[in-house]
């Protein structure tokens, strides 16, 4: 038990990337930080860090220990807030996970305003398209788009996630406009390699569901990169309107197959407990104020054809 006090120091070293940077952050000497980490490794009887003169990296055991230690520290901070009676005042470290494109396009621009409104909060925004474990990662909440398979999480719906199959006018002029999902087989489909619904695009036709396996010469794990490829005339792709809404409104991209709606999705904020710290509740309410509603800002100028192609939005 005596080595538990070294856990925050170990986590600080990993997050800072070096002993010297962690020492500066913690207000300790570099030698003191190094000694505490060595004591932690000795107490666990395992090496957590690989050290060279130029770099510092986690061992396999260190990676597993860090993931759990970071989550444990987050829970400890929450316990301190409760014990100190700080639930009513938004303050402290707030760790938020979000998909890369949504985070960069819609959360990052709001960060400064949020922190001006709540100056006692320190916001740690982690943007990654991989699904993270909130508890193990020590996150207070996450923005999730699409299906919510983890029923351990509490979810609050923020906005619909409208989706359009689209391409540039130049691509459609050169390759034609598909009239049925089956015609996508002869088009260059740009594929999202992190797509969690499987390697299929699913449409709703008059006689039921239509599944199409997209094929093409480009796949990428970032949606803004997919948008770049669309604008360059490379092919066709299904895209959320929170990324391409302005392009559809301006005519830089055109929606196709609007008579075949795509499955409905939504944007949620999820969190691991029903009793939220004040800092997390403040952030969720702020997002709802800025981005919430059935017609979020990025959908405000969508062409009628795109709106009418969504589930539940046909006239």
């Amino acid at each position: 038990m005596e080595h538990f006090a070294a856990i925050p120091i170990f986590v600080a070293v990993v997050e800072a990337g070096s002993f010297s940077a962690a020492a500066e952050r913690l207000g300790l000497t570099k030698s003191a930080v190094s000694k505490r980490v060595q004591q932690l490794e000795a107490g666990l009887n395992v090496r957590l860090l690989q050290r060279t003169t130029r770099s510092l990296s986690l061992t396999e055991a260190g990676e597993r220990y860090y993931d759990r230690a970071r989550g444990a520290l987050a829970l400890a901070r929450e316990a301190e807030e409760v014990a100190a009676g700080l639930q009513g005042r938004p303050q402290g470290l707030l760790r938020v996970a979000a998909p890369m494109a949504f985070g960069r396009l819609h959360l990052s621009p709001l960060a400064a305003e949020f922190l001006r409104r709540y100056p006692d909060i320190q916001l740690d925004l982690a943007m990654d398209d991989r699904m993270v474990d909130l508890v193990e990662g020590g996150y207070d909440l996450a923005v999730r788009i699409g299906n919510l398979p983890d029923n351990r999480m509490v979810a609050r719906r923020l906005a619909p996630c409208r989706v359009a199959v689209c391409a540039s006018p130049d691509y459609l002029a050169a390759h034609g406009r598909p009239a049925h999902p089956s015609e996508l087989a002869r088009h260059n489909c740009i594929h999202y390699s992190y797509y969690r619904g499987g390697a299929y695009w699913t449409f709703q036709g008059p006689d039921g569901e239509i599944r199409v396996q997209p094929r093409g010469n480009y796949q990428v794990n970032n949606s803004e990169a997919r948008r770049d490829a669309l604008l360059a005339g490379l092919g066709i792709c299904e895209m959320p309107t929170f990324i391409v809404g302005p392009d559809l409104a301006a005519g830089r991209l055109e929606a196709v197959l609007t008579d075949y709606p795509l499955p409905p999705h939504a944007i949620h904020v999820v969190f691991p407990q029903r009793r939220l710290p004040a800092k997390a509740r403040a952030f969720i309410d702020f997002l709802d104020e800025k981005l919430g509603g059935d017609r979020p800002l990025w959908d405000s100028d969508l062409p009628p054809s795109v709106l009418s192609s969504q589930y539940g939005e046909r006239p």
Side-chain angles (χ1 to χ4, degrees):
M1 297 288 289
E2 67 277 2
H3 58 268
F4 280 13
I7 293 176
I9 296 176
F10 167 71
V11 171
V13 169
V14 176
E15 292 180 345
S18 70
F19 286 102
S20 56
E24 183 177 352
R25 178 186 296 182
L26 296 169
L28 300 172
T29 65
K30 180 181 176 181
S31 60
V33 170
S34 179
K35 181 178 179 180
R36 295 304 297 273
V37 173
Q38 290 174 3
Q39 290 172 341
L40 177 61
E41 290 178 319
L44 296 171
N45 194 29
V46 66
R47 181 173 289 278
L48 301 174
L49 295 169
Q50 294 284 7
R51 307 162 177 83
T52 68
T53 55
R54 294 187 177 182
S55 66
L56 191 71
S57 61
L58 287 165
T59 64
E60 182 180 357
E63 289 180 356
R64 295 183 180 181
Y65 190 82
Y66 170 69
D67 285 341
R68 286 157 178 78
R70 185 174 58 175
L73 282 180
L75 292 173
R77 293 189 188 103
E78 180 186 336
E80 288 178 353
E81 287 189 356
V82 174
L86 298 180
Q87 287 291 311
R89 193 169 91 231
Q91 63 174 290
L93 177 64
L94 176 66
R95 304 193 71 239
V96 177
M100 181 66 71
F102 189 84
R104 200 197 70 76
L105 292 172
H106 301 293
L107 299 186
S108 178
L110 294 174
E113 182 179 351
F114 174 74
L115 292 172
R116 281 194 294 266
R117 186 179 298 187
Y118 300 102
D120 293 328
I121 291 178
Q122 297 88 49
L123 177 62
D124 179 355
L125 177 60
M127 294 184 284
D128 194 325
D129 285 337
R130 293 172 296 180
M131 186 79 73
V132 299
D133 187 303
L134 269 64
V135 175
E136 287 194 3
Y139 294 100
D140 296 286
L141 55 92
V143 174
R144 294 269 167 85
I145 299 170
N147 296 324
L148 297 174
D150 192 345
N151 57 16
R152 298 174 300 168
M153 296 292 109
V154 183
R156 176 167 164 181
R157 188 178 186 275
L158 189 65
C161 180
R162 297 180 173 92
V163 180
V165 177
C166 52
S168 71
D170 288 345
Y171 176 88
L172 294 174
H175 300 278
R177 182 183 296 268
H180 186 274
S182 62
E183 296 179 17
L184 290 172
R186 61 181 177 82
H187 284 272
N188 194 39
C189 296
I190 302 165
H191 183 52
Y192 178 51
S193 53
Y194 274 167
Y195 185 58
R196 300 186 186 96
Y200 292 92
W201 295 351
T202 304
F203 301 83
Q204 185 66 34
D207 300 320
E209 186 178 275
I210 304 170
R211 299 180 76 198
V212 175
Q213 187 169 26
R215 300 188 183 277
N217 63 3
Y218 185 47
Q219 71 172 16
V220 62
N221 65 351
N222 179 271
S223 291
E224 289 183 279
R226 290 193 297 157
R227 172 182 176 269
D228 291 340
L230 285 172
L231 292 173
L234 182 62
I236 286 180
C237 190
E238 64 165 7
M239 291 288 289
T241 58
F242 68 76
I243 296 175
V244 298
D247 298 310
L248 291 167
R252 293 184 292 269
L253 295 175
E254 295 181 12
V256 298
L257 300 173
T258 55
D259 289 333
Y260 298 89
L262 294 157
H265 295 296
I267 302 167
H268 291 88
V269 180
V270 301
F271 39 93
Q273 69 247 350
R274 293 190 179 276
R275 185 181 180 187
L276 280 173
K279 59 187 179 182
R281 189 167 59 251
F283 189 74
I284 294 172
D285 290 343
F286 178 80
L287 291 187
D288 190 52
E289 172 192 333
K290 297 296 180 179
L291 304 177
D294 288 334
R295 187 72 68 86
L297 182 63
W298 54 81
D299 284 347
S300 58
D301 296 319
L302 281 180
S305 60
V306 176
L307 287 175
S308 65
S309 70
Q310 307 297 309
Y311 272 99
E313 297 195 40
R314 290 184 177 276

